[in-house]
């Protein structure tokens, strides 16, 4: 089944691909779906019925790059597997108890009360998995930890966890806010958007397309949104690639430091996500410039094969600085665990 993993968003052939897969595997007892945005009315992982499906369609515009294709797969899977339960597992649930100051935008009350403008936070499935593995690695209960978790991949964010709960995160109403990402801009002066509309006549659709698909590392480098490409290009003298990486790692440090401001202490800094896992140059450049937080550079570089097999590695030199861990991305495993939990099944994940 691992050979059938698809990393691209589902397209028109997704239903046929799923049908072919189901012919080759044992009949599933349940289906877990990753849904990035829950919207305001769904605050826990939940079975999908007609009512839940309608609520998800209503909030798809808050994360169109993610929710729209996910719902395409929900519909295909429910049609192909009508007699098994389907569970929506949300990236926002991990942050559902964000303190009021962390979830509130400083905007007019009508925007907040009537329009529902607030911060949600994302990458929650990844964070839930990474937090549990971090507690195991440190030999401490989840409920006693104060850590900063950093998910670096196509989308990037950081999260402050105090005593096992998310208390702050860099993403907001949508997955566009926060750190510089692969193709997404991250946070941008809202006045700049108003200026682009007024002075240069950019439409909402043009802004949407540029900020989601042509910004971030790709927009800075002009060549690639992949840090592996940019590290190689920088070594070859590509100044734009160098600027892209420097801007990205500064953005990460800013995000980590701002998350640490919501904690009393820093028990560990934890990297996950594709970049967090397999880009040691990025980890080193972030950590070597975070001495103000007690984080040190000179990180160990585990073999990716070992990390994938073991699931996590401590990579700091363990010489009095803040522990730095790398956790293999576990969103799929967390979806399985949450699906079993919702349905009252035994949890077979590690």
């Amino acid at each position: 089944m691992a050979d059938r993993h698809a990393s691209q968003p589902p397209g028109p052939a997704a239903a046929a691909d799923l049908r072919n897969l189901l012919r080759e595997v044992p009949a599933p007892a349940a289906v877990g779906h990753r849904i990035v945005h829950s919207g305001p009315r769904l605050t826990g992982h939940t079975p999908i019925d007609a009512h839940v499906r309608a609520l998800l369609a209503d909030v798809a515009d808050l994360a169109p790059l993610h929710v729209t294709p996910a719902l395409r797969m929900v519909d295909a899977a429910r049609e192909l597997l009508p007699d098994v339960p389907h569970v929506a597992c949300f990236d926002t649930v991990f942050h559902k108890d964000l303190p009021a100051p962390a979830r509130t935008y400083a905007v007019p009350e009508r925007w907040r009360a009537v329009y529902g403008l607030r911060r949600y936070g994302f990458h929650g499935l990844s964070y839930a998995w990474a937090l549990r593995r971090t507690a195991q690695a440190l030999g401490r209960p989840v409920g006693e930890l104060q850590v900063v978790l950093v998910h670096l991949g196509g989308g990037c964010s950081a999260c402050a966890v105090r005593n096992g709960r998310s208390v702050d995160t860099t993403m907001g109403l949508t997955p566009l806010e926060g750190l510089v990402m692969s193709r997404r801009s991250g946070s941008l002066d809202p006045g700049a958007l108003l200026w682009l509309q007024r002075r240069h006549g950019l439409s909402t659709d043009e802004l949407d397309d540029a900020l989601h698909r042509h910004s971030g590392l790709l927009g800075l480098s002009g060549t690639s949104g992949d840090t592996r490409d940019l590290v190689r290009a920088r070594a070859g003298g590509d100044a734009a690639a160098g600027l892209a990486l420097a801007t990205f790692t500064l953005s990460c440090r800013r995000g980590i430091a701002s998350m640490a401001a919501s904690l009393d202490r820093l028990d560990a800094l934890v990297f996950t996500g594709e970049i967090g896992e397999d880009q040691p140059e990025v980890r080193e450049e972030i950590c070597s410039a975070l001495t103000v937080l007690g984080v040190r550079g000179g990180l160990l570089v585990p073999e990716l094969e070992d990390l994938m097999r073991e699931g996590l590695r401590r990579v700091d030199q363990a010489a009095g600085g803040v522990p730095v861990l790398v956790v293999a991305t576990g969103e799929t495993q967390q979806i399985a665990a949450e699906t079993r939990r919702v349905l009252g099944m035994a949890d077979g994940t590690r």
Side-chain angles (χ1 to χ4, degrees), residues 248-319:
F248 176 72
T249 54
L250 174 59
S251 171
C252 292
R253 295 196 301 273
R254 285 172 170 165
I256 292 166
S258 68
M259 293 301 100
S262 292
L263 304 176
D264 299 320
R265 62 180 188 275
L266 186 56
D267 294 329
L269 175 61
V270 183
F271 290 93
T272 190
E274 296 91 338
I275 297 172
E277 290 170 7
D278 67 4
Q279 198 71 68
E281 297 89 347
V282 169
R283 293 195 301 264
E284 181 65 31
E285 289 172 35
I286 292 171
C287 290
S288 62
L290 280 176
T291 53
V292 68
L293 297 181
V295 177
R296 300 178 180 177
L299 301 178
L300 305 173
V301 182
E303 292 292 335
L304 186 58
E305 183 177 332
D306 294 338
L307 174 63
M308 293 299 103
R309 183 178 64 252
E310 299 170 16
L312 61 89
R313 277 292 181 93
R314 183 168 173 174
V315 296
D316 62 287
Q317 298 283 1

Side-chain angles (χ1 to χ4, degrees), residues 19-79:
R19 184 181 296 106
N20 292 335
L21 174 65
L22 291 172
R23 293 192 182 113
E24 302 174 13
V25 300
V31 182
H33 298 266
R34 180 196 179 198
I35 308 293
V36 165
H37 211 306
S38 64
R41 298 177 63 183
L42 296 169
T43 58
H45 310 301
T46 184
I48 301 173
D49 57 18
H51 176 64
V52 169
R53 175 63 177 79
L55 291 176
L56 294 177
D58 190 51
V59 300
D61 61 340
L62 290 172
L65 293 183
H66 302 86
V67 176
T68 300
L71 291 182
R72 191 177 299 131
M73 286 307 299
V74 166
D75 294 341
R78 291 180 72 204
E79 180 179 348

Side-chain angles (χ1 to χ4, degrees), residues 6 34 73 92 100 109-110 133 184 212 220 251 319 332 340:
R34 180 196 179 198
M73 286 307 299
T92 48
E109 192 272 342
R110 178 177 176 82
R133 296 310 311 273
R184 281 175 260 166
H212 281 99
L220 287 164
S251 171
T332 301
R340 292 186 176 102

Side-chain angles (χ1 to χ4, degrees), residues 58-180:
D58 190 51
V59 300
D61 61 340
L62 290 172
L65 293 183
H66 302 86
V67 176
T68 300
L71 291 182
R72 191 177 299 131
M73 286 307 299
V74 166
D75 294 341
R78 291 180 72 204
E79 180 179 348
L80 292 168
L81 296 165
D83 299 322
V84 303
H86 295 253
V87 175
C89 299
F90 298 109
D91 271 312
T92 48
V93 166
F94 187 75
H95 309 288
K96 68 183 179 65
D97 295 322
L98 278 176
R103 69 171 183 264
T104 303
Y105 286 115
V107 295
E109 192 272 342
R110 178 177 176 82
W111 293 13
R112 291 178 275 119
V114 178
Y115 303 154
L117 191 62
R118 53 155 292 186
R119 305 182 75 249
Y120 284 90
F122 302 93
H123 289 136
L125 293 164
S126 176
Y127 287 143
W129 180 261
L131 178 61
R132 181 164 65 165
R133 296 310 311 273
T134 297
Q136 294 169 351
L138 298 179
R140 299 175 61 181
V142 167
E144 294 181 4
L145 289 179
Q146 296 198 35
V147 298
V148 172
L149 308 172
V150 189
H151 180 104
L152 302 179
C156 301
S157 71
C159 172
V161 173
R162 176 196 287 268
N163 302 331
R165 292 183 177 274
S166 171
V167 293
D168 202 359
T169 189
T170 55
M171 284 181 168
L173 176 73
T174 76
L176 188 58
E177 185 180 357
L179 310 184
V180 171

